Amino acid sequence: MTYLRDPAAIYAESFATIRAEARLDHLPEALHKAAIRMIHACGMVDLAADITGDERIAEAVPMALAAGAPVFCDCEMVRAGLIPRYLPKGVETLVTLSDPRVPALAQSLKTTRSAAAVSLWAERLGGSIVVIGNAPTALFALLEGLAAGWPRPAAIIAAPVGFVGAAESKAALVGSPFGIPFLTVAGRRGGSAITAAGVNALAGAPS
Amino acid sequence: MTYLRDPAAIYAESFATIRAEARLDHLPEALHKAAIRMIHACGMVDLAADITGDERIAEAVPMALAAGAPVFCDCEMVRAGLIPRYLPKGVETLVTLSDPRVPALAQSLKTTRSAAAVSLWAERLGGSIVVIGNAPTALFALLEGLAAGWPRPAAIIAAPVGFVGAAESKAALVGSPFGIPFLTVAGRRGGSAITAAGVNALAGAPS
């Protein structure tokens, strides 16, 4: 079979296709690399139109990583999508979804396990990087916690996906009053791969 | 904040939305559950139009799992997307991408690490379940191996994503002469979440 087998050539052709086809004009220059990686992760150049964020995140993520900040992820798929070579050695990537306290916490808080898991982040949230790629309720729980006075993360990359609460939770992030640099995807689309790709780009992955 | 917090209600409303909005008429009934879960994973009802497969896969996957077949995954994100409670206890989910032999193998085969990793599946491929959600070159390598006489898996769920080789590798799967039941997504779209969702549905996850 005839197909491109050289990894560097595959990457180069992929990013060239995205640069040729995607409309990024509405995004600040500082977010173009992240947008290209997010498009690369999903195969859809029209995702660009839904990507939105605060350009300060392009500095906030590298600074937080350099300072040793932990990276909180809402699920294992997001964590698995982070490319270790672009993260500082020894960085902590944390998923609390399988913490043994979560099922009881979810019951007592009358919410999802994803949202309950976020409540376990509160103590170490100050200056951290938050990555939410799956559960809208996790993003809602984060915003509620911040409104209740939780310490503020350095950056929020959040693109939960789906038909119930995804668009709404991301709109709430965009409209939130906390002034925390963010990157998101408006609407129903999103997911672990798109979200992790955004983090990888902000952490220094080329495109 | 007001939002739906009950996990069962969230699932029910999600699947109801998909059933109301998605056109599944072109798919055999046996693939509807998988299609609904795949749409659920990406937030796009129009994905339905690109989903295609062999309806025998709806029986092939449960049968293979019941027989103790291993599940080969092309990357950790796909494996992380499999929901353990829908798989038989003790099922082997295998990712060879980080096998220490892979970098040298990729160099000597002049291909990607993803494709080289697939060559390590050959020995145990007979009757297995193959799940490819990321790398087009992994799917190409599988099809080349099968053409060269590798033992045949019981089912192939493959929806690699992207701009170089994704559409082509999936078209090659659809047109392949091996008669192996498959499930795929035509075109550029795909990815770990969509692919794993298909496996989860075929393994018995409700929708």
Side-chain angles (χ1 to χ4, degrees):
Chain A
M1 289 177 148
T2 306
Y3 59 94
L4 205 52
R5 297 161 198 253
D6 174 49
I10 293 171
Y11 269 104
E13 187 172 322
S14 295
F15 293 139
T17 302
I18 297 169
R19 285 182 189 281
E21 293 186 19
R23 294 291 307 266
L24 303 176
D25 335 29
H26 67 294
L27 285 170
E29 184 75 29
L31 298 183
H32 284 200
K33 272 182 55 184
I36 289 169
R37 279 260 167 189
M38 293 164 85
I39 291 167
H40 179 249
C42 67
M44 299 181 288
V45 293
D46 74 300
L47 188 79
D50 292 341
I51 297 174
T52 180
D54 173 338
E55 62 184 325
R56 294 175 303 147
I57 200 166
E59 291 194 349
V61 166
M63 277 181 60
L65 288 173
V71 180
F72 288 105
C73 305
D74 72 327
C75 66
E76 290 295 347
M77 281 193 85
V78 162
R79 174 155 64 180
L82 301 178
I83 305 176
R85 69 178 175 280
Y86 299 121
L87 299 173
K89 270 205 190 347
V91 65
E92 278 183 280
T93 57
L94 303 164
V95 181
T96 53
L97 190 55
S98 299
D99 187 285
R101 293 167 290 179
V102 164
L105 210 48
Q107 279 210 308
S108 73
L109 298 172
K110 292 195 198 325
T111 190
T112 63
R113 289 188 303 118
S114 293
V118 167
S119 68
L120 299 176
W121 300 353
E123 201 181 322
R124 295 188 60 199
L125 207 53
S128 71
I129 297 172
V130 166
V131 188
I132 297 175
N134 181 44
T137 53
L139 181 52
F140 276 127
L142 174 74
L143 296 173
E144 289 177 319
L146 292 170
W150 287 359
R152 295 190 178 178
I156 301 173
I157 301 95
V161 60
F163 298 91
V164 176
E168 296 82 355
S169 66
K170 292 180 287 190
L173 171 65
V174 173
S176 67
F178 312 116
I180 303 166
F182 69 91
L183 179 64
T184 188
V185 177
R188 290 173 169 180
R189 292 191 290 185
S192 301
I194 290 170
T195 308
V199 179
N200 291 331
L202 294 169
S207 63
Chain B
M1 289 177 149
T2 306
Y3 59 94
L4 204 53
R5 296 161 197 253
D6 174 48
I10 293 171
Y11 268 104
E13 187 173 320
S14 295
F15 292 140
T17 301
I18 297 169
R19 285 182 190 280
E21 293 185 18
R23 295 291 307 266
L24 302 176
D25 334 28
H26 67 293
L27 285 170
E29 184 74 29
L31 297 183
H32 284 201
K33 272 182 55 184
I36 289 169
R37 279 260 166 190
M38 293 163 85
I39 291 167
H40 180 249
C42 67
M44 299 181 287
V45 293
D46 75 299
L47 188 79
D50 292 341
I51 297 173
T52 180
D54 173 339
E55 63 184 324
R56 294 175 303 146
I57 201 167
E59 291 194 350
V61 166
M63 277 181 60
L65 288 174
V71 180
F72 287 105
C73 306
D74 72 327
C75 66
E76 291 294 346
M77 281 195 85
V78 162
R79 173 155 66 179
L82 302 177
I83 305 176
R85 69 177 175 282
Y86 299 120
L87 299 173
K89 270 203 193 345
V91 66
E92 277 184 281
T93 57
L94 304 164
V95 181
T96 53
L97 190 54
S98 299
D99 187 286
R101 292 167 289 179
V102 164
L105 211 48
Q107 280 209 309
S108 73
L109 298 172
K110 292 194 199 321
T111 190
T112 64
R113 290 189 302 119
S114 293
V118 167
S119 68
L120 299 175
W121 301 354
E123 202 180 321
R124 296 188 60 199
L125 207 52
S128 71
I129 297 171
V130 166
V131 188
I132 296 175
N134 182 44
T137 53
L139 180 52
F140 276 128
L142 174 74
L143 296 173
E144 289 178 319
L146 292 170
W150 287 359
R152 294 190 178 179
I156 301 173
I157 301 96
V161 61
F163 298 91
V164 176
E168 296 82 354
S169 65
K170 293 180 286 190
L173 170 65
V174 173
S176 67
F178 313 115
I180 303 166
F182 69 92
L183 179 63
T184 189
V185 176
R188 290 173 170 180
R189 292 190 292 184
S192 302
I194 290 170
T195 308
V199 178
N200 291 330
L202 294 169
S207 62

